[in-house]
Amino acid sequence: MKRQSLDNPSDTSLSRVDGAVKVTGAATYSAEYAIPGLVHAVLVTSTIAKGSITAIDSREAEAVPGVLAVISHLNAITVPGWPAKKLPAERVAAGTALRVFYDPLIYFDGQPVAMVVAATHEQAVHAASLVRVTYQQEAHQTHFEKNIGQAGIPQNVQRAKNSPFQDYERGDASALRNADVRIEAEYTIPTQHHQPLEPHAIIAVWEAEDKLTVYDKNQGVKSAQGQLAQAFKLPRENVQVVATYIGGAFGSGIRVWPHTMAAVMAAKQLKRPVKLVLGREQMFTSVGYRPYTKQKISIGAAKDGRLAGIVHEGTGQTSMYEEHLERTVLASRALYACPHVATRYRLLPLDVNTPTWMRGPGDATGMFALESAMDELAYALKTDPLEFRLKNYAESDPERNLPWSAKSLRECYELGAEKIGWKNRLPEPRSVRRNGMLLGYGMASSLYGFHRHPSRARAVMHADGSVIVQSATMDIGPGTGTAMTRIATKVLGVNAKKVRFDLGHSALPDAPGQNGSSTIPSVGSAVHVACEALKSKLVTLAGEMSEKFRPGAEVVARNGKIFSSADDKDGLSYTDILKHHRLNELEVTEASKSGAERDQYSMYSFGCHFVEVEVDPLTGEVRVTRVVTCADVGAIINYKTARSQSIGGVVGGIGMALMEHSEMDHRFGRYVTTDFASYHIPVHADVPSIEVYYIDKPDVQANPIGSKGLGEIAIVGVAGAIANAVFHATGKRVRELPITPDKLI
Amino acid sequence: MKPFQYLRPKTIAEAISMAADYPEAQYIAGGTNLVDLMKRGIASPSKLIDINHLPLKKIEHRYDRLRIGALALNSDVAKNKSVLSRQPLLAQALLAGASGQLRNMATVGGNLLQRTRCSYFYDLALPCNKRKPGSGCGAEAGVNRTHAIFFAGNGFGGNEKSSCIAVHPSDMCVALTALDTEVVINGTSGERRVPFKDFHRLSTLQPELDTNLQPGELVTAIEVTDNAFAQHSHYLKVRDRASYAFALVSVAAALQMDGGRIWDARMALGGVAHKPWRYWAIDLMLRGQAPSEKLFREVAEHEMQSAKATTQNAFKIKLTSNAIVAALKAATGIS
Ligand SMILES: Cc1cc2nc3c(=O)[nH]c(=O)nc-3n(C[C@H](O)[C@H](O)[C@H](O)COP(=O)(O)OP(=O)(O)OC[C@H]3O[C@@H](n4cnc5c(N)ncnc54)[C@H](O)[C@@H]3O)c2cc1C
Ligand code: SF4
């Protein structure tokens, strides 16, 4: 079933269940908990990229009224889970997360070196500006291009034979060498930052000597709980992590960062609840980023348009103390039917903080290169870029030699092409103008791996017929609670108003963090299974009340009642069932995870984006004027929130393609674009009408709900589609993002 | 942010005497620039003199000129009927600037005195001659994609310790530079008027000074003389995104046309120099001519002969040239 945008009359989606509390300000975000006795912390960060601290003069800061402490490596508590400090301090080898306030060593500019804690935020801010830090500076390397010769196979990959990041090759390399038409090109993406509007924030509360609660902006309360418990050598259950509402994260909250540890350490040291909110400029060096990445693609095809070979090499930057790996080159192995494919992935350690996953990590980067190269090759072959892709459509996974669990990419292509009017596109670049502007159309494919992690959910039916469903999953924006409510209402046949879904608390049943587009596939399945189990418990109880519901009877649930499928009338309500059995509530907790199907099928989400751009021939300004995005992610759980996800992904892709760019002055190893005036993200005027379409066919192999991930595939490929449209409009191929006016005049 | 004392004078005279009494004090109007500077530690006034309650909001037309009070909001000026009918270029420039929310707070006086957006200026950890005279210009051999191409850098009378290649960020001031504008200033010794071209400074020798306003002086109004440009004015702003971004370059073009020919022409450029850059020779080059793309191209390239790029902003020379052509085409209505 193909579904049209907004005005789909058959759309029965739920509006966001938490929409009202969010827009009225009633939702409590991490920094907003009113904890008695709360004090305020502000970080002081390093102004050199490499070296060590020789002195910290905090006298002036300490003299500011209200200041309680200036904490640094000189006086911080020891974290029980960290090894004893070495004297003299030694630089760590790759693989050790940065330990805050541990020793005097500086690994990157912007590293926390001290923290002021004061009675008010204003006092702490002022005092922080008075802390004088002196350094012994060492020569640093932050310039990717100048150091690329130092890139190598990541140590993690050298150690792990089965790592997907191992060099890969299939088929015969001569196929590419002998191809009729061949393209070789380099593609570069700059460092880009997540910069969610809500800055990262934490309130750390030691309820007792060995009991910790943190209200922390993150994307996984369970993993944060585990990491904090380990660091402070506490039983897991002694640590509780709360993150009920999150103002966007895009990957920046997947791990516990040094600032989180800093707040927890300060709270312990001062025996007071401590709140720390990162400043916007600190967000550039505290919570990761999409790494600067350089890629080289050699790609060739026969005259008839069949791919002969793809060699995809990628090098990303990482820090000196950790290796951050991402899927940059992996999509090239699976997206097209191509006999010869080779991929190589390298890392370049620099004196910078560690990157992290950012929406569509690796894939958004890699697909920009692959889909640009495909477009270049299509022009070189004088063939239509869409036809070229269809010609090389992979009917089964060419990497794993397995059937797809489901794949409707062809239908996505057809739908997108129809909606954008692809057939009317004139092939010649720079051949069409509209109102004086150069007009261009481009497209790109998108794919994203299927991630389903073991998850648990609890479902409770109450005597009044209301249902509470719980899981320690997260909502960083997609509307998790809404989707889960929808799953519960469908299984149990109850009105959404009767359902409450709880998330974002580590005391709830186990769930993975919100990353890798895994929430609906993983937690959605658990919620489904738990609600089914609850329903069958209710049916069993009903069976004791009425012959119709005896074991084996088929039932349908609707309006808070169950009916026998046989006659479909005189249903029994849940309230009556519980009343009859004198139960206040009925509870089940169920687990759900992947099984053998993962070895039998290859599972991916698929999609494509079609883009129309206008480029000013004199000023080189690019405006995206239309986007049609189509996805095949199995069953769509809740159309309205899914559509928002797709729109958000495209907006992120517009930012990636046209403006996002964190620039460093390498003489200092310091970012100079550290506010929203210089780090540009799309504003409303940059965002055109975005038309969203789904194939909406359940993938029955994937999981009980037939649904795959959507969050990442929404952005993967967008930058490529825009770059391709810009080429079509202008005849200029921009291989280095972002596509700013200077590159087009 | 350093703690400060908040003062609220009731009259213009009281405001001026407060400023004279406390050299470390600063006026605050909309606060959209000053508060940011205070947050980053670039400005640390011990006292803030809040001038928002002074009677300087009026926009009126008298005799041959439009007088706009220094506290008139950018958004009010942009939608004022007299401004729209007499000086549409000014309204266009204002609407090209910042965002709706900011324009609702920003005042005309504050807009004149907003400081550069050079990233080095905003970061205490980096060198900057404007913020800390003698510390060196961070941008000159650093990140300078958005920096000046006219009268910029070492070669222009300055030296390493005094050069500054920053640009003035205002859109409004570019339009005012193209028009006949005067800035009305009040100080302890009374009122004085400064032609707009002399209000902002080039960076030579003293980059810490953006304007010729003396310490403690209060801008009370600007006055724009009537002209015959309303039919043929155009403000063109080129930027890295569609809205809410400072100009890479901007062009304010104001022409008077009759019988298919240009009889008077004014132009100012933004984003290219330490002050809004008046293209003085344009009148000579266009007067009496019929508009054509070829003519505009010549005119554009003529002015760009004196432009000089730093390490990352060479593209601005071509971009400015193209923007001049585009603005003149729009102002004359040729395609
Ligand atoms: C995110 C962002 C984007 C922006 N984008 C643009 C843009 O695209 N184009 C653009 O042109 N501008 C832009 N601006 C700048 C904006 O126009 C200025 O911040 C605003 O005009 C300043 O006015 P204000 O009244 O808020 O000044 P304030 O911040 O109150 O004051 C600025 C300075 O002027 C002094 N001052 C104010 N009034 C007087 C007076 N009457 N006499 C003497 N001194 C005075 C103050 O002491 C202070 O030094 C942007 C600003 C921001 C924050
Ligand atoms: S250009 Fe001017 S403002 Fe920028 S660093 Fe140089 S001196 Fe400072």
Side-chain angles (χ1 to χ4, degrees), chain A residues 230-243:
Chain A
Q230 209 172 30
F232 289 92
K233 293 217 164 132
L234 294 171
R236 257 191 109 97
E237 60 280 9
N238 283 25
V239 177
Q240 291 305 341
V241 179
V242 184

Side-chain angles (χ1 to χ4, degrees), chain B residues 116 118 120-121 127-131 136-139 147 163-166:
Chain B
T116 184
C118 172
Y120 297 83
F121 178 70
C128 169
N129 283 331
K130 185 181 281 299
R131 174 171 36 76
C137 169
H147 285 67
S163 68
C164 172
I165 57 169

Side-chain angles (χ1 to χ4, degrees), chain A residues 375-424:
Chain A
D375 201 61
E376 297 202 41
L377 189 54
Y379 280 98
L381 286 161
K382 297 194 168 37
T383 180
D384 179 88
L386 174 57
E387 240 167 70
F388 180 43
R389 285 170 174 84
L390 283 166
K391 196 153 238 169
N392 294 289
Y393 195 80
E395 301 289 355
S396 60
D397 181 350
E399 181 185 10
R400 296 176 66 204
N401 282 320
L402 285 177
W404 306 112
S405 57
K407 177 178 180 180
S408 300
L409 179 57
R410 185 175 277 115
E411 290 82 342
C412 289
Y413 287 143
E414 284 165 2
L415 190 55
E418 177 204 320
K419 297 294 175 187
I420 198 100
W422 187 259
K423 67 177 189 324
N424 302 324

Side-chain angles (χ1 to χ4, degrees), chain A residues 413-580:
Chain A
Y413 287 143
E414 284 165 2
L415 190 55
E418 177 204 320
K419 297 294 175 187
I420 198 100
W422 187 259
K423 67 177 189 324
N424 302 324
R425 166 185 179 274
L426 298 179
E428 188 63 29
R430 211 182 175 96
S431 61
V432 183
R433 290 197 185 214
R434 183 168 71 191
N435 303 326
M437 298 291 151
L438 301 165
L439 186 66
Y441 294 90
M443 58 87 53
S445 317
S446 178
L447 110 170
Y448 191 80
F450 174 71
H451 300 281
R452 179 176 174 205
H453 310 293
S455 305
R456 295 161 67 82
R458 178 186 299 134
V460 189
M461 175 66 74
H462 292 268
D464 64 356
S466 66
V467 182
I468 293 180
V469 186
Q470 299 178 316
S471 180
T473 182
M474 314 296 297
D475 184 5
I476 60 169
T480 308
T482 313
M484 299 303 162
T485 300
R486 177 97 167 150
I487 292 170
T489 58
K490 274 199 171 164
V491 174
L492 292 168
V494 292
N495 189 296
K497 292 208 172 66
K498 287 266 179 195
V499 179
R500 188 183 93 200
F501 184 77
D502 293 337
L503 50 59
H505 196 299
S506 55
L508 298 172
D510 269 351
Q514 189 154 64
N515 53 61
S517 301
S518 64
T519 301
I520 294 281
S522 315
V523 184
S525 298
V527 166
H528 178 89
V529 171
C531 290
E532 285 288 1
L534 179 62
K535 187 167 74 181
S536 57
K537 245 187 166 176
L538 285 158
V539 173
T540 308
L541 292 177
E544 295 168 21
M545 297 163 68
S546 155
E547 270 296 291
K548 285 205 293 192
F549 298 108
R550 70 189 177 283
E554 286 214 5
V555 298
V556 286
R558 69 170 182 270
N559 301 333
K561 291 181 178 171
I562 47 171
F563 299 85
S564 150
S565 304
D567 63 1
D568 200 26
K569 57 180 195 220
D570 306 328
L572 255 182
S573 75
Y574 295 138
T575 45
D576 286 344
I577 299 171
L578 265 72
K579 200 162 159 196
H580 178 90

Side-chain angles (χ1 to χ4, degrees), chain B residues 120-328:
Chain B
Y120 297 83
F121 178 70
Y122 272 81
D123 186 345
L124 291 177
L126 295 173
C128 169
N129 283 331
K130 185 181 281 299
R131 174 171 36 76
K132 195 173 171 202
S135 62
C137 169
E140 197 156 2
V143 177
N144 53 39
R145 176 175 173 270
T146 59
H147 285 67
I149 50 172
F150 284 114
F151 219 82
N154 253 323
F156 288 93
N159 59 42
E160 256 166 51
K161 297 283 168 207
S162 69
S163 68
C164 172
I165 57 169
V167 297
H168 195 265
S170 168
D171 289 297
M172 180 188 85
C173 292
V174 181
L176 292 176
T177 300
L179 304 168
D180 283 327
T181 310
E182 270 186 349
V183 184
V184 186
I185 297 169
N186 273 59
T188 40
S189 45
E191 184 178 290
R192 68 184 180 109
R193 284 161 180 273
V194 177
F196 204 80
K197 67 176 174 55
D198 297 330
F199 185 75
H200 293 101
R201 294 168 58 99
L202 287 171
S203 63
T204 325
L205 297 178
Q206 281 182 289
E208 66 276 19
L209 299 180
D210 296 346
T211 70
N212 288 315
L213 196 70
Q214 297 304 306
E217 281 188 322
L218 182 74
V219 174
T220 48
I222 53 168
E223 293 187 353
V224 190
T225 308
D226 290 351
N227 57 47
F229 300 137
Q231 298 302 313
H232 297 283
S233 337
H234 190 76
Y235 187 74
L236 177 86
K237 180 173 179 181
V238 185
R239 43 190 147 178
D240 281 329
R241 66 179 165 195
S243 172
Y244 201 17
F246 290 95
L248 286 169
V249 306
S250 67
V251 182
L255 307 176
Q256 186 187 340
M257 293 186 66
D258 195 15
R261 288 189 182 271
I262 299 164
W263 294 110
D264 195 0
R266 305 289 171 83
M267 181 174 284
L269 309 173
V272 295
H274 194 258
K275 60 188 270 188
W277 188 258
R278 177 82 182 253
Y279 181 172
W280 290 102
I282 199 160
D283 189 31
L284 271 177
M285 300 200 51
L286 290 181
R287 192 180 285 262
Q289 307 266 16
S292 75
E293 180 153 354
K294 185 166 163 290
L295 171 68
F296 294 158
R297 180 58 69 186
E298 279 166 25
V299 164
E301 276 166 14
H302 178 263
E303 185 68 355
M304 301 320 291
Q305 281 167 13
S306 56
K308 179 174 158 272
T310 315
T311 54
Q312 299 181 335
N313 61 0
F315 78 96
K316 270 193 168 185
I317 297 177
K318 179 154 186 213
L319 184 60
T320 310
S321 180
N322 284 358
I324 290 174
V325 174
L328 287 172

Side-chain angles (χ1 to χ4, degrees), chain A residues 114-444:
Chain A
M115 189 163 82
V116 177
V117 188
T120 71
H121 177 68
E122 289 73 17
Q123 290 164 338
V125 169
H126 175 48
S129 74
L130 301 173
V131 177
R132 308 268 169 260
V133 185
T134 11
Y135 303 94
Q136 169 92 46
Q137 208 168 337
E138 290 171 45
H140 63 261
Q141 298 299 336
T142 56
H143 200 294
F144 186 95
E145 303 289 343
K146 282 191 184 148
N147 289 282
I148 191 153
Q150 307 299 315
I153 300 177
Q155 291 171 18
N156 275 317
V157 177
Q158 292 180 25
R159 280 193 293 269
K161 261 212 147 78
N162 293 328
S163 163
F165 301 102
Q166 288 283 358
D167 287 359
Y168 167 90
E169 179 150 15
R170 73 166 179 256
D172 179 2
S174 67
L176 178 57
R177 275 200 305 276
N178 302 330
D180 295 335
V181 184
R182 231 180 84 184
I183 296 280
E184 190 170 299
E186 277 193 343
Y187 303 89
T188 307
I189 70 142
T191 292
Q192 300 172 332
H193 280 84
H194 314 72
Q195 290 299 346
L197 281 191
E198 180 204 23
H200 278 250
I202 172 176
I203 296 175
V205 189
W206 286 89
E207 322 271 2
E209 191 56 30
D210 62 349
K211 267 191 90 199
L212 171 68
T213 303
V214 302
Y215 304 86
D216 177 46
K217 170 170 179 151
N218 66 62
Q219 292 177 235
V221 284
K222 282 286 183 184
S223 64
Q225 177 191 41
Q227 289 175 57
L228 288 168
Q230 209 172 30
F232 289 92
K233 293 217 164 132
L234 294 171
R236 257 191 109 97
E237 60 280 9
N238 283 25
V239 177
Q240 291 305 341
V241 179
V242 184
T244 318
Y245 296 103
I246 291 160
F250 312 110
S252 62
I254 292 178
R255 53 184 296 194
V256 168
W257 295 106
H259 74 269
T260 308
M261 286 298 292
V264 176
M265 287 159 69
K268 178 120 200 164
Q269 188 163 344
L270 296 172
K271 301 191 166 43
R272 300 278 294 266
V274 168
K275 166 151 104 179
L276 174 66
V277 181
L278 294 184
R280 183 58 64 191
E281 68 281 7
Q282 293 172 339
M283 292 277 291
F284 284 87
T285 50
S286 303
V287 290
Y289 53 90
R290 194 192 294 285
Y292 191 110
T293 303
K294 203 169 186 78
Q295 302 173 71
K296 191 166 123 192
I297 293 196
S298 305
I299 185 167
K303 278 204 195 84
D304 68 358
R306 273 182 216 290
L307 279 170
I310 305 174
V311 179
H312 189 167
E313 299 169 63
T315 304
Q317 86 173 36
T318 192
S319 67
M320 288 291 181
Y321 52 94
E322 282 175 303
E323 290 189 329
H324 168 74
L325 300 161
E326 49 183 45
R327 299 178 36 93
T328 312
V329 298
L330 302 195
S332 287
R333 302 175 185 173
L335 184 53
Y336 297 110
C338 178
H340 167 62
V341 173
T343 66
R344 287 188 275 280
Y345 181 62
R346 301 290 181 266
L347 277 185
L348 173 59
L350 294 169
D351 295 306
V352 295
N353 59 320
T354 311
T356 194
W357 297 279
M358 180 162 150
R359 200 171 188 177
D363 288 303
T365 305
M367 205 68 88
F368 160 64
L370 176 62
E371 288 298 277
S372 293
M374 284 292 286
D375 201 61
E376 297 202 41
L377 189 54
Y379 280 98
L381 286 161
K382 297 194 168 37
T383 180
D384 179 88
L386 174 57
E387 240 167 70
F388 180 43
R389 285 170 174 84
L390 283 166
K391 196 153 238 169
N392 294 289
Y393 195 80
E395 301 289 355
S396 60
D397 181 350
E399 181 185 10
R400 296 176 66 204
N401 282 320
L402 285 177
W404 306 112
S405 57
K407 177 178 180 180
S408 300
L409 179 57
R410 185 175 277 115
E411 290 82 342
C412 289
Y413 287 143
E414 284 165 2
L415 190 55
E418 177 204 320
K419 297 294 175 187
I420 198 100
W422 187 259
K423 67 177 189 324
N424 302 324
R425 166 185 179 274
L426 298 179
E428 188 63 29
R430 211 182 175 96
S431 61
V432 183
R433 290 197 185 214
R434 183 168 71 191
N435 303 326
M437 298 291 151
L438 301 165
L439 186 66
Y441 294 90
M443 58 87 53

